[in-house]
Each structure stands twice: as C-alpha cells, then as structure tokens.
C-alpha cells in the first residue's frame, strides 16, 4: 500500500550491509582540513622566520636585544643594538613582580653572562659579583663602581636581596630557586589563605609528598581497570541495586516531606503571635509545594521504571557484553593513553607556536613603562585567531579519531559471527581503515562540534569579562545562550558517535550516516533513554567511587607525614587526576555501550533469527530478545483468548434475544 505521492516520488530504503564494502568518504572535507593544517604550519614558519623562535628560546631584554647574539640598533631605543654574544641569560630585576591578569613578569629584564647562584644582600655584593664573574646585574648604563652611589639604583638595579637563581634547561632565564618568591602568584589563586606561611607550607607540602601523589594517581589507574572488570560480573546486581536505591530514596523523601507538612499543620494555631503565625503559614505552604512536587516526581519515576523495566534489562545485557568486548579487545583499554599522549603533543606544539607569535612582530616602545614589546599589527594579528580555531578543531579531530577507532573495532567484533575469524588486532585494523577511508568523515564531525564550541567559548569569555558590570537581564541571557549551546554540543557529540558507528558499518559519508543513525535512535527512543539514564548514572557513580577511594587512601597516606599538616592541595591534585583517569576509561566503556546498542538495534531490525537471517548478537543479548519475544507472545495469546471470550458472550446474547 502506497501513500499519497509515493508513486511519483518513491522512497528508496537502503539496507544496512555491515563490513561488506569499503569506499572513501567525505574527501572534500579531508582536503579542506589538509589546507587548514598547511595554514597552521605557515603560521609556525612565519613566527620562526621573523626571529620569534630565537627570542623565545634565548630570551630578550627590555630594550629589544636578544641574549646570546649581536643585535641591530632599533631606532629610538637608546640601549638597543648591543653585542650580547657573551651574555646568554635573561635576568629580571624583580622576578616576583608578576602581572596575574596579563600572565607576564612586569620587571625590567637584562642579558647577563651568569645567574647569581648565591644570595646578594647589598650593592657591594652586586659589585663584587660583577668583578668576579664579569656579570653586571644592573642596567647597561650603570657602571659597577657606581652601584652603591648611583641616584637611580632603586630602579636600575635588582631588588635586594637578590635570591639565588638558576637558568632553565632550555629557556635561558634566571629564575629564583626559592619557592617563597612565587608565594604572591599562589595567593592570587588560593583565595581562602590569609597567611603567607600557609601558602609556603602548601607549596612545600606538594613537593615533599610528590611520591605519595604519584602513587595515588597510579592507584586511581588500577581502580579504573578493576572497576571495568567488576562491572562485567556484577552488572545485573549493580544496576538493579542502584535502581532500588533511587526508588526507595524518592519514596522515602516524599514521605518525609508529607510528614513534615502534617507536623507543621498541627503546630499552626491562632494563639501564635502575628509574625510567627505568618512565618509558620509560609513554611506550611512551602512544604506543601515541595511535597506535591516530590509526589509528582516519584509517580513519574515509578511509571517510567515500570514501562522501561525491560529496557533496563537491555542496559544490563549491554554492560555485560561491553565487558566481554574488552576481554576480546584488550587494546581498547589503551586508547585513552594514546589519545591523551597525542593531545599532549599537539597542545605542546600549539602553546609553543603561540609563544612564538607572542614574541613575533615589530619592536614597539611602551609609553608607560618605556620598555620594548614585540607586537603584530595589521592582518598579521588575526593569525592568533586562526591558531585558536586550530586548537579546537584539531583537538576535536583527535577525539573523533578515538571514537571512530573504538566504533570500528566494536563493529568488527559484533558483526563477526565466528569470533575466531576476527583480525589478529581489530584495533590496529580499525585505525588503518580509518586512515585509508574515513578521515574526511571524522574531519567533518569535528568541524560541526567546533562550529558550536567557538561561539560558546566566546560568550563564556564575554560573560567573564563583564562580570559585575552587566545587568541581571543580560547576565541571564548570556547564561541561557551558553547553556543552550552546551546542550547542543552534547547532543551533537552523541549523534556524531553514532554517525561514526554507521560509517564503520556501511562506509557511508557523514551526513548519510548521521541520518541513518538518527532514524534508528528515534525508532528506539525509550531504549536510548533507558541506556543513557541508567547507564550514565552507573558510570557516574563508578567515577565517584574511584575518586572517593583514592581520596580516602590519600588521607591515610598523608596521615603518616606528621611534619606536614596542610593536605588541601595534594588531595585536590589527586582527586582531580583520579576523576580524569576514571572519566577517560569509563568514557571508552560508554562509547562501547553506545556502539553495541546501535549494532543491536540494526541487528534486531533486519534479522529475525530465521535461516538466512540469523542474529549477530551475543548470547546475553540473545537471551534478552528471547525473553522479550516470549512476553510478547504470552501477551498476544492472552489478548486473543480475551477477544474469543468476548465473541462467545456476544453470540450467546444474540441467541438469547
């Protein structure tokens, strides 16, 4: 039976053909991405060609002279154009004068031949240091003999006392070795500290407990691996226990609110003073509203659990199968390491080029300070924006490559009937398949996320800059826009993951894969809701469990370090790192569950278990399908008997009349 207009415009339904054919997808997007990366390399080359690399590595003084080389004269700058071939180190007159907002040292910088390795308390010590080592620590126009008598010694000589310093391994800067110099910088971030000694103890404690911190981070890694193994064997018990806890908590909370409302109703009487009576009535109304809202929430929750109980069983089965996938594909557990390492290498490159750009441009004298700064004017200043877009797009591309790699490996596992016939290393095969066929699809998906993320970051930056100056309406609108963009980004990220799975199955381009995956998800909306709600909640509790265990172990470990009593910063470092580790591992688990669900939905749609249309699914999922089928047949049989009984009663009535 055709619908209206279907004869004129027939709709061609394309069947899913897992792993049957391969072709390159979204080639124009791959070419665009290659051109974009050529632009990123050109920016790096420009920064190096303009001398920014040498200024960044060797350093330069406040008059535009690069240390360790002979410099050309800069028009209008009196102390520029000096020969610093023997002066290879940058020395700051006041290294503790740090500008937190602009993230740079505001002190005057000089090129010296040696960093002071001992404390210099007087100007006489500065003169003796210059005489012994030939390193002048005051401005170039001040002679060492006049250090003690010069009229401008307070501004042209270093702040006394001069702390011992050492040069950095690659960047030739003289930095104080005493951590007390950085206390001001730490105080800007640790707002709850009112005593400088506390800051010093916190910083010192991190250094003295670094072995404990490293051990606890390793513990978080081990706990994440153990949790992934435990989920496989207790997935059924774990999910149902959590579901029961939520139900009992909702019912108990609702009962307590109604009890409080009744108790307050009894205590409200006309004998109370007018003010107390008004307050009591307001509390009674508030409790009534809370109790009604809790009751509605509990009823909705119970109804959802009743209608979605079979979907919760599907979540349990998917968790069990996902754990078996990690057993057959152990290299999946290493995916977070490779992704993290790749991201770190790219971020180091990106920050290095950004520093190059910060040192590129033409020398300009600051009218307020009189010091030389390097600035890019005209169209060249937009290179920083281009570089910033590259940070987001390439980072999203690396994360998308991880998702596509995991999806390809899991698809190969699911749609291979004989597991012994799988490739020797499905992960490596998935990576090679990605590089050969589907890089363009990954590029396009990453670009879509970038288009949403850039305006969200811009609005977040505007909100932070206007903090305290905008009105309530503007603040509310900004937060609403940021929240909407964040929700859109999360939805697109979830859809992208399923699009990558569809590409791994059928080798179709991004738009076709996203459309096919979207229709499959819409057809299984209740199952998707159950998996995302129950599954994400279980994984979130797993992250909380890992962080809690690591923090508890950290407290026990730091308890034996009696000389150090400030545990705040080490514990924060450990908890943040343990959460990141747990998130990396369990996010891979979450991706595997999502891929398995899409494969399961496709399998049940196009196969029915009959000869020639056998299921691909695992035994655990097969049991779920069989139980669902039995329930459906039982329900159909009861409904047929009911209709037959009604027809017999109707026939009997007709015979009587």
């Amino acid at each position: 039976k055709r619908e209206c207009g279907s004869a004129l415009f027939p709709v061609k339904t394309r069947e899913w053909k897992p792993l049957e054919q391969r072709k390159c997808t979204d080639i124009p997007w791959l070419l665009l991405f290659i051109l974009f990366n050529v632009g990123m390399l050109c920016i790096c080359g420009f920064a190096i060609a303009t001398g920014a690399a040498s200024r960044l590595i060797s350093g330069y003084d406040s008059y535009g002279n690069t240390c360790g080389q002979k410099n050309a004269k800069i028009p209008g700058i009196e102390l520029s154009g000096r020969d610093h071939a023997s002066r290879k180190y940058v020395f700051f007159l006041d290294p503790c004068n740090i500008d937190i907002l602009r993230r740079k040292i505001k002190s005057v910088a000089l090129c010296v031949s040696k960093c002071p390795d001992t404390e210099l308390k007087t100007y006489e010590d500065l003169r003796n240091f210059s005489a012994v080592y030939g390193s002048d620590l005051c401005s170039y126009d001040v002679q060492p003999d006049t250090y003690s008598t010069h009229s401008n010694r307070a501004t042209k000589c270093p702040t006394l006392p001069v702390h011992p310093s050492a040069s950095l391994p690659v960047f030739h800067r003289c930095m104080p070795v005493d951590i007390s110099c950085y206390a001001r910088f730490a105080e800007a971030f640790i707002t709850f500290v009112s005593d400088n000694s506390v800051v010093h103890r916190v910083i010192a404690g991190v250094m003295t407990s670094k072995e404990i911190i490293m051990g606890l981070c390793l513990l978080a890694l081990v706990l994440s691996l153990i949790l992934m193994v435990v989920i496989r064997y207790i997935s059924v018990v774990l999910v149902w226990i959590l579901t029961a806890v939520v139900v009992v908590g909702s019912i108990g909370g609702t009962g307590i609110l109604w009890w409080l409302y009744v108790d307050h109703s009894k205590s409200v009487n006309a004998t109370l003073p007018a003010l107390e009576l008004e307050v009591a009535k307001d509390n009674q109304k508030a409790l009534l509203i809370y109790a009604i809202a809790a009751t509605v929430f509990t009823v909705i929750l119970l109804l959802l659990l009743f209608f979605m109980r079979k979907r919760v069983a599907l979540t349990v089965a998917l968790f069990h199968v996902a754990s078996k996938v990690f057993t057959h594909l152990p290299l999946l557990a290493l995916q977070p390491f490779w992704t993290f390492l790749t991201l770190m290498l790219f971020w180091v490159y990106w920050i290095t080029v950004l520093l190059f750009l910060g040192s590129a441009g033409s020398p300009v004298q600051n009218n307020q300070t009189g010091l030389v700064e390097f600035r890019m004017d005209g169209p060249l200043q937009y290179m920083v924006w281009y570089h910033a877009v590259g940070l987001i797009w390439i980072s999203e591309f690396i994360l998308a490559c991880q998702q596509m790699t995991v999806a390809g490996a899991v698809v190969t596992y699911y749609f291979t009937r004989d597991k012994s016939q799988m490739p020797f290393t499905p992960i490596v095969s998935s990576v090679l398949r990605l590089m050969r066929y589907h890089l363009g699809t990954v590029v396009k998906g990453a670009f879509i996320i970038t288009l949403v993320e850039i305006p969200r970051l811009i609005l977040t930056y505007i909100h932070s800059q206007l903090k305290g100056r905008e009105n309530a309406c503007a603040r509310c609108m900004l937060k609403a826009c940021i929240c909407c963009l964040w929700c859109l980004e999360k939805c697109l990220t979830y859809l992208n993951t399923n699009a990558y799975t569809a590409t791994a199955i059928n080798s179709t381009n991004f738009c076709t894969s996203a459309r096919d995956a979207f229709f499959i998800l819409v057809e299984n909306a209740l199952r998707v809701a159950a998996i995302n709600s129950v599954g994400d909640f279980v994984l979130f509790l797993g992250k909380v469990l890992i962080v809690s265990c690591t923090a508890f172990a950290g407290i026990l470990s730091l308890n034996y370090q009696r000389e150090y009593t400030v545990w705040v910063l080490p514990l924060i470092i450990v908890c943040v790192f343990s959460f990141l580790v747990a998130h990396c591992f369990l996010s891979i688990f979450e991706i595997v569950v999502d891929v398995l669900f899409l494969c399961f939905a496709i399998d049940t749609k196009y196969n029915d278990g009959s000869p020639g249309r056998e299921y691909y699914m695992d035994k655990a999922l097969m049991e779920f399908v069989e139980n669902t089928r039995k329930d459906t047949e039982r329900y159909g049989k009861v409904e047929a008997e009911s209709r037959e009984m009604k027809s017999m009663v109707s026939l009997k009535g007709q015979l009587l009349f």
Side-chain angles (χ1 to χ4, degrees):
K1 182 180 180 181
R2 292 182 179 269
E3 297 179 358
C4 295
S6 60
L8 296 177
F9 302 100
V11 179
K12 183 179 179 181
T13 59
R14 184 178 48 80
E15 293 188 4
W16 295 73
K17 298 179 180 180
L19 307 175
E20 289 189 9
Q21 56 185 0
R22 287 287 150 197
K23 62 179 181 179
C24 296
T25 56
D26 297 297
I27 297 177
W29 283 92
L30 178 59
L31 297 177
L32 177 64
F33 188 65
I34 292 174
L35 291 176
F36 181 85
N37 282 276
V38 169
M40 294 281 291
L41 294 176
C42 290
I43 291 176
C44 179
F46 167 80
I48 296 175
T50 54
S54 61
R55 283 194 291 269
L56 176 64
I57 297 174
S58 301
Y60 59 94
D61 61 14
S62 298
Y63 311 104
N65 301 303
T66 303
C67 299
Q69 68 182 37
K70 188 176 181 179
N71 298 275
K73 180 70 176 180
I74 301 175
I77 308 299
E78 182 180 355
L79 297 177
S80 63
R82 305 182 71 88
D83 186 1
H84 287 327
S86 60
R87 300 183 177 187
K88 300 180 179 180
Y89 304 100
V90 181
F91 175 75
F92 300 97
L93 299 187
D94 187 9
C96 295
N97 190 8
I98 300 174
D99 187 351
I100 301 297
L101 297 178
R102 297 183 180 180
R103 298 175 295 277
K104 64 180 181 180
I105 298 175
K106 299 195 298 183
S107 169
V108 174
L110 302 174
C111 293
V112 299
S113 56
K114 179 178 173 57
C115 299
D117 52 0
T118 58
E119 186 177 21
L120 306 178
K121 299 180 180 179
T122 63
Y123 292 104
E124 187 66 22
D125 293 339
L126 295 178
R127 188 186 66 80
N128 293 334
F129 182 81
S130 176
V132 174
Y133 298 104
S135 183
D136 300 337
L137 302 182
C138 291
S139 182
Y140 307 136
D141 56 349
V142 179
Q143 298 298 322
D145 295 338
T146 62
Y147 282 177
S148 303
T149 59
H150 200 279
S151 58
N152 294 329
R153 62 184 183 181
T155 57
K156 295 195 173 185
C157 288
T159 304
L160 297 178
V162 178
H163 299 286
S165 59
S167 62
L168 298 177
V170 178
F171 304 96
H172 302 124
R173 272 75 169 175
C174 298
M175 302 304 295
V177 296
D178 186 8
I179 61 173
S180 62
C181 181
Y182 309 109
R184 300 178 190 176
F185 185 76
E187 288 173 10
F189 296 97
I190 308 176
T191 55
F192 59 85
V193 173
S194 58
D195 185 8
N196 289 348
S197 61
V198 177
V199 178
H200 297 171
R201 291 204 307 271
V202 168
I203 298 175
V206 173
M207 300 304 297
T208 56
S209 58
K210 56 182 180 294
E211 292 84 3
I212 296 178
I213 294 176
M214 294 176 63
L216 292 173
C217 293
L218 182 61
L219 175 63
L221 177 63
V222 174
L223 289 176
S224 300
L225 294 174
I226 292 175
L227 181 63
M228 294 177 66
V229 176
V230 169
I231 289 177
R232 174 181 178 182
Y233 296 101
I234 64 169
S235 55
V236 179
V237 178
L238 181 64
V239 172
W240 287 117
I241 286 178
L242 291 176
T243 305
V245 168
V246 172
V247 171
V248 172
S250 300
I251 296 175
T254 303
I256 291 174
L257 286 174
W258 281 112
W259 176 78
L260 289 174
Y261 169 72
V262 173
D263 186 65
H264 274 69
S265 300
K266 294 179 180 178
S267 62
V268 175
N269 52 66
T271 59
L272 292 175
L275 182 60
E276 294 184 6
L277 180 62
E278 184 178 357
V279 172
K281 289 183 177 180
D282 290 339
N283 292 335
Q284 181 183 1
K285 291 180 181 178
L287 283 172
L288 178 60
I289 294 174
Y290 295 153
I292 293 175
T295 303
V296 173
F297 173 79
T298 303
V299 171
I300 294 175
L301 178 64
L302 292 176
L303 290 175
L304 285 176
L305 289 176
F306 176 77
F307 289 108
M308 296 173 62
R309 63 189 185 280
K310 296 179 182 178
R311 280 84 182 181
V312 174
L314 175 59
T315 304
V316 175
L318 286 174
F319 267 58
H320 182 72
V321 177
S323 301
K324 294 177 67 175
V325 169
F326 279 92
T327 303
H328 288 84
L329 309 176
L331 290 180
L332 276 178
L334 297 179
Q335 282 302 113
F337 291 106
W338 305 125
T339 304
F340 179 76
L341 180 61
T342 306
L343 283 174
M344 285 295 103
L345 292 176
F346 169 69
W347 289 343
V348 168
Y349 162 80
W350 188 88
I351 293 173
T352 303
V353 176
L354 183 65
L355 294 176
F356 285 168
L357 292 176
S359 302
S362 304
V364 178
Q365 187 174 20
N366 192 316
N367 296 328
Q368 297 179 350
T369 62
L371 307 180
V372 174
E373 300 175 355
F374 290 89
R375 299 177 183 174
M376 290 189 300
D377 299 325
L380 296 179
Q381 60 185 337
Y382 296 106
M383 289 193 298
V384 178
W385 293 102
Y386 188 96
H387 194 59
V389 173
L391 171 66
I392 302 175
W393 193 4
I394 298 177
S395 298
E396 292 295 335
F397 169 76
I398 295 172
L399 294 174
C401 285
Q402 172 184 270
Q403 295 173 1
M404 177 67 89
T405 301
V406 174
V410 176
V411 165
T412 302
Y413 170 84
Y414 188 96
F415 288 107
T416 302
R417 299 186 189 277
D418 187 1
K419 306 304 180 187
S420 62
Q421 300 298 322
M422 284 196 306
F424 179 69
T425 53
I427 292 292
V428 177
S429 301
S430 179
V431 171
L432 295 177
R433 193 162 56 243
L434 165 65
M435 296 177 64
R436 182 177 179 182
Y437 297 107
H438 306 311
L439 280 179
T441 299
V442 173
V443 168
K444 189 173 182 179
F447 181 77
I448 292 175
I449 300 298
T450 303
L451 284 181
V452 179
E453 194 167 351
I454 288 177
R456 181 176 66 84
L457 293 177
I458 293 175
L459 290 178
T460 304
Y461 175 77
I462 295 174
H463 181 264
S464 64
Q465 292 297 313
L466 298 179
K467 206 166 192 178
R469 287 180 284 182
E470 79 278 15
N471 56 35
C473 182
R475 183 170 60 251
C476 181
M477 291 180 62
L478 275 176
K479 289 184 177 179
C481 292
I482 293 171
C483 181
C484 292
L485 288 173
W486 181 84
C487 294
L488 178 61
E489 180 184 342
K490 295 301 179 184
C491 293
L492 288 176
T493 301
Y494 179 72
L495 182 60
N496 279 7
T497 303
N498 289 280
Y500 299 148
T501 304
T503 299
I505 295 173
N506 273 343
S507 191
T508 50
N509 59 40
F510 179 84
C511 292
T512 304
S513 300
R515 182 196 63 194
D516 295 343
F518 178 76
F519 288 144
I520 290 291
L521 294 176
V522 169
E523 292 175 1
N524 298 269
L526 290 178
R527 289 177 174 178
V528 172
I531 291 169
N532 286 338
S533 57
V534 179
D536 291 351
F537 184 63
V538 170
L539 295 179
F540 173 75
L541 290 182
K543 298 173 187 178
V544 173
L545 178 63
I546 292 173
V547 173
S548 303
C549 293
T550 308
F552 181 71
I555 293 175
L556 294 180
S557 302
L558 293 171
N559 184 49
Y560 292 99
Q561 208 168 353
R562 298 294 182 178
E563 69 277 5
Y564 174 56
T565 57
V566 182
W567 295 353
V568 177
L569 193 56
L571 281 180
I572 291 177
I573 294 174
V574 168
C575 290
V576 170
F577 185 84
S578 61
F579 180 82
L580 292 176
V581 170
H583 176 73
C584 288
F585 277 91
L586 295 181
S587 64
I588 294 294
F589 194 91
E590 183 179 359
I591 293 174
V592 171
V593 171
D594 291 337
V595 174
L596 284 174
F597 170 73
L598 188 63
C599 295
F600 170 78
I602 295 169
D603 195 10
T604 54
K605 180 177 181 179
Y606 291 98
N607 298 312
D608 55 7
S610 60
R613 299 181 64 183
E614 294 85 0
Y615 288 119
Y616 289 93
M617 65 186 66
D618 188 86
K619 183 179 178 181
L621 293 173
M622 190 77 72
E623 292 177 355
F624 168 79
V625 172
E626 291 298 329
N627 293 333
T628 305
R629 181 180 296 173
K630 290 178 181 178
D631 294 340
T632 304
E633 292 177 354
R634 189 182 304 114
Y635 175 77
K637 184 177 180 180
V638 171
E639 187 177 2
E641 292 178 353
S642 176
R643 287 197 301 267
E644 184 179 356
M645 185 65 68
K646 289 181 181 179
S647 62
M648 291 177 63
V649 172
S650 177
L651 178 61
K652 184 177 180 181
Q654 293 177 3
L655 292 175
L656 290 175
F657 294 96

